[in-house]
Amino acid sequence: MNLEELLKSKTSPKIDEMTNEDLRRLFMKYKGLLKERDRDKAFWAATNENLSLAYEKLDELVEELREAQEELISKQKLAIIGQLAGGVGHDLRNPIGSIKNAVYFLKMVIEDPEPDLKKTLEILEKEVTASEKIINSLLDFTHTKLPSLRNVKVNEVIKKTISKISVPEDIKIVRQLEKTFPTILADPDQLDRIFVNIILNAIQAMPEGGQLTVKSEALSQEWVAISFSDTGMGIAEENMGKLFEPLFTTKSKGIGLGLAISKNFVEAHGGTIEVQSEIEKGTTFTIKLPSDQL
Ligand SMILES: Nc1ncnc2c1ncn2[C@@H]1O[C@H](COP(=O)(O)OP(=O)(O)O)[C@@H](O)[C@H]1O
Ligand SMILES: [Mg+2]
């Protein structure tokens, strides 16, 4: 019986009927089959790998698409909010200005006002100032002007900003301003607005008092950082992504433009703004700016 017949025969071949040559060929055939199986295995493994790569890529693309869509929606939202805010701000500026002048006039002409009248005028003045602030925020937000850059001593701006803010007695402000902090190219008015927004938020986050540490440091030849760390209530995880969105606020009297404006200003300087926070421990806002000079 030769090998072919041997393989076809239903009964199992008897090994002692096989010649050496038969055994060799049988062995070769077996080896060939094994090789084929390995090739198949490798093929399927490669196919599987390709497939899972393709899935990963697809996931990435879907994610990118989702992000692009979200960005588009938020840009549209921003444009609409911008138009609205600008319109309202502009329309209210003149009437508020007139009310302010009227209050000023009344205070001048009424020499010795009754206590009630005096109090009313004070309230009027206070509310007009508050309204003006809101209007300025609305206009700031819509007319993000290009920063008018000049060489600025940031430490001086920080000190000036802090000095004009009325800080509650139970809040301590610690300044850690690096003496060798470089002069950088920036718009001091915009820096002041950014710092005011962040410091006011920090103060509002510490209703029971606490500490605000303002730090300035040069990170490298190219970058500087200014950070504001409070010991306040912190920010809930689910809000972390929304802070810089216009109109996002968790305060009953907030308008939610402070951080959106600050971010616009920081980005117009080619910088970044980041936040780290822990509930009931406190929050740190860090602004990084390029340390270009004229
Ligand atoms: N230092 C901080 N500590 C805790 N929460 C903060 C802090 N700064 C900002 N936030 C949160 O970010 C929100 C948005 O701030 P902002 O844009 O300045 O608007 P507003 O102060 O009018 O609410 C705040 O309502 C608050 O929830
Ligand atoms: Mg604010």
Side-chain angles (χ1 to χ4, degrees):
M1 204 195 275
N2 70 22
L3 181 66
E4 256 49 62
E5 288 164 351
L6 200 67
L7 287 173
K8 274 186 211 143
S9 74
K10 295 263 163 30
T11 57
S12 54
K14 289 205 177 70
I15 211 139
D16 50 359
E17 283 173 15
M18 294 166 97
T19 64
N20 273 349
E21 178 56 18
D22 283 340
L23 279 173
R24 198 188 62 80
R25 280 173 61 196
L26 193 61
F27 178 67
M28 292 309 285
K29 181 137 189 145
Y30 176 64
K31 250 176 87 174
L33 282 173
L34 275 183
K35 241 192 204 151
E36 230 168 77
R37 195 200 61 180
D38 286 347
R39 258 207 309 274
D40 277 1
K41 252 186 169 170
F43 170 77
W44 286 114
T47 308
N48 271 340
E49 200 171 318
N50 278 337
L51 258 180
S52 66
L53 277 179
Y55 276 131
E56 260 171 43
K57 189 87 204 151
L58 197 66
D59 274 350
E60 268 170 35
L61 284 175
V62 169
E63 179 66 11
E64 262 172 43
L65 200 65
R66 205 182 52 77
E67 272 168 21
Q69 194 187 20
E70 261 173 24
E71 205 182 305
L72 195 71
I73 292 174
S74 89
K75 279 219 175 99
Q76 281 174 335
K77 223 164 88 179
L78 254 163
I80 294 170
I81 293 168
Q83 278 177 358
L84 213 87
V88 173
H90 194 262
D91 287 352
L92 284 182
R93 193 154 63 165
N94 289 339
I96 291 285
S98 306
I99 297 174
K100 192 178 176 176
N101 289 340
V103 176
Y104 183 72
F105 174 76
L106 286 178
K107 276 176 78 176
M108 276 219 331
V109 293
I110 306 173
E111 262 181 15
D112 206 1
E114 301 271 291
D116 273 359
L117 182 59
K118 192 166 175 241
K119 208 166 156 220
T120 309
L121 285 174
E122 273 164 12
I123 292 173
L124 207 54
E125 198 172 26
K126 202 174 124 229
E127 295 302 327
V128 165
T129 309
S131 308
E132 264 183 335
K133 275 195 188 140
I134 297 176
I135 290 167
N136 285 339
S137 299
L138 292 175
L139 292 175
D140 260 357
F141 177 66
T142 40
H143 308 147
T144 303
K145 292 181 274 334
L146 282 181
S148 81
L149 300 173
R150 66 192 95 134
N151 280 336
V152 174
K153 291 193 170 111
V154 178
N155 285 347
E156 299 306 315
V157 179
I158 296 174
K159 283 186 210 160
K160 209 167 137 197
T161 306
I162 293 175
S163 72
K164 70 175 187 188
I165 291 176
S166 68
V167 182
E169 270 178 18
D170 53 3
I171 291 179
K172 189 174 165 214
I173 303 222
V174 178
R175 296 190 217 149
Q176 294 179 353
L177 309 181
E178 200 170 72
K179 285 218 173 66
T180 53
F181 195 90
T183 303
I184 66 163
L185 203 55
D187 180 330
D189 291 332
Q190 291 195 358
L191 287 187
D192 170 67
R193 304 271 252 294
I194 299 168
F195 299 159
V196 167
N197 286 333
I198 294 180
I199 295 173
L200 287 182
N201 280 344
I203 291 175
Q204 288 158 2
M206 299 188 283
E208 262 114 64
Q211 183 172 308
L212 170 65
T213 308
V214 186
K215 197 168 151 184
S216 68
E217 60 178 329
L219 298 176
S220 64
Q221 293 282 75
E222 287 89 28
W223 291 93
V224 298
I226 304 117
S227 66
F228 301 81
S229 304
D230 65 58
T231 55
M233 58 180 69
I235 299 166
E237 186 63 43
E238 70 262 28
N239 291 338
M240 289 292 275
K242 304 182 206 150
L243 300 182
F244 298 99
E245 278 176 17
L247 303 186
F248 175 79
T249 182
T250 54
K251 301 168 192 168
S252 57
K253 284 196 173 169
I255 45 171
L257 284 178
L259 288 179
I261 292 169
S262 302
K263 187 165 185 256
N264 280 348
F265 284 160
V266 169
E267 286 177 353
H269 278 78
T272 60
I273 179 166
E274 283 165 21
V275 57
Q276 278 176 315
S277 186
E278 210 177 321
I279 274 291
E280 271 156 39
K281 289 264 167 66
T283 302
T284 298
F285 281 90
T286 307
I287 295 165
K288 289 183 188 150
L289 296 172
S291 51
D292 301 333
Q293 290 173 19
L294 267 187

